[in-house]
Amino acid sequence: MNKAIEVALFLHLLGVAVWVGGMVFAHFCLRPALGDLSPQLRLPLWESVFGRFFNWVGVSVLVILISGGFLLTQFGGAHALWPLHTMAGLGIVMMLIFGHIRFAVYPRIRRAVQAQKWPDGARAVATVRRLVLINLVLGVVTIGVAVLSRGF
Ligand code: HEM
């Protein structure tokens, strides 16, 4: 394996670790721990947590996209093995879902918190929770498919 491929794979996996690991932490650790807080406390906290986490995910998405695109060219481009195309396809779906969370749903949380409309905010946070769970499942499947490509 040449150096450029090793560096790209390193960055690719770092991006995946930040994104998927962050979703595991948010879904399985932070969410249940905040469950008992009142909406007045919980929703501004989620707004602040999401604001920071989504910046990290945005950078991770760029790194995964650039490193993945480069790796794909090194592993046969259009003629690469099907698991690599499946990974790219699932990765793009995950990125579109993230884009929807970041640019459509998150602004609803911000507006609701600013206007102190707690039921609206709670609905938007519940939507983020569902979409993050979908992305988490897709992320785990994508990692499985990526590793599967080794067996071909
Ligand atoms: C635009 C999206 C993506 C493209 C074009 C892409 C492309 C690639 C390519 C070409 C490789 C090298 C395969 C190899 O070393 O044999 C790779 C490795 C890998 N990718 Fe992706 N990827 C994308 C998104 C993702 C996402 C979203 C995940 C996980 C959530 C992911 C997880 C992995 C893993 C775990 C490996 C290492 C596989 C191994 O070496 O066994 N990729 N990716």
Side-chain angles (χ1 to χ4, degrees):
M1 223 191 284
N2 72 40
K3 273 279 167 289
I5 292 181
E6 283 172 5
V7 171
L9 200 52
F10 169 71
L11 293 173
H12 197 69
L13 293 180
L14 207 54
V16 169
V18 168
W19 190 4
V20 177
M23 290 194 291
V24 168
F25 172 74
H27 191 79
F28 291 109
C29 305
L30 193 55
R31 187 185 57 88
L34 299 187
D36 289 340
L37 292 184
S38 67
Q40 288 87 338
L41 289 175
R42 191 165 40 89
L43 296 172
L45 198 61
W46 273 126
E47 185 207 0
S48 165
V49 168
F50 284 151
R52 288 173 173 79
F53 179 52
F54 293 160
N55 287 341
W56 281 93
V57 178
V59 173
S60 300
V61 162
L62 280 180
V63 169
I64 292 170
L65 203 55
I66 294 168
S67 57
F70 169 74
L71 286 167
L72 205 54
T73 63
Q74 303 300 303
F75 283 82
H79 303 291
L81 297 168
W82 70 263
L84 293 184
H85 288 293
T86 308
M87 173 191 344
L90 288 172
I92 303 281
V93 172
M94 288 176 66
M95 289 168 195
L96 290 174
I97 292 175
F98 168 69
H100 180 73
I101 295 174
R102 172 63 187 83
F103 296 107
V105 188
Y106 179 59
R108 291 216 295 270
I109 299 177
R110 297 191 77 167
R111 280 196 298 273
V113 168
Q114 268 156 23
Q116 303 198 351
K117 291 185 171 170
W118 308 120
D120 289 358
R123 263 193 302 277
V125 167
T127 303
V128 172
R129 178 180 61 79
R130 276 193 299 274
L131 292 173
V132 164
L133 187 58
I134 292 172
N135 254 0
L136 187 50
V137 172
L138 288 177
V140 172
V141 171
T142 309
I143 293 172
V145 170
V147 174
L148 193 74
S149 73
R150 297 247 153 165
F152 282 78

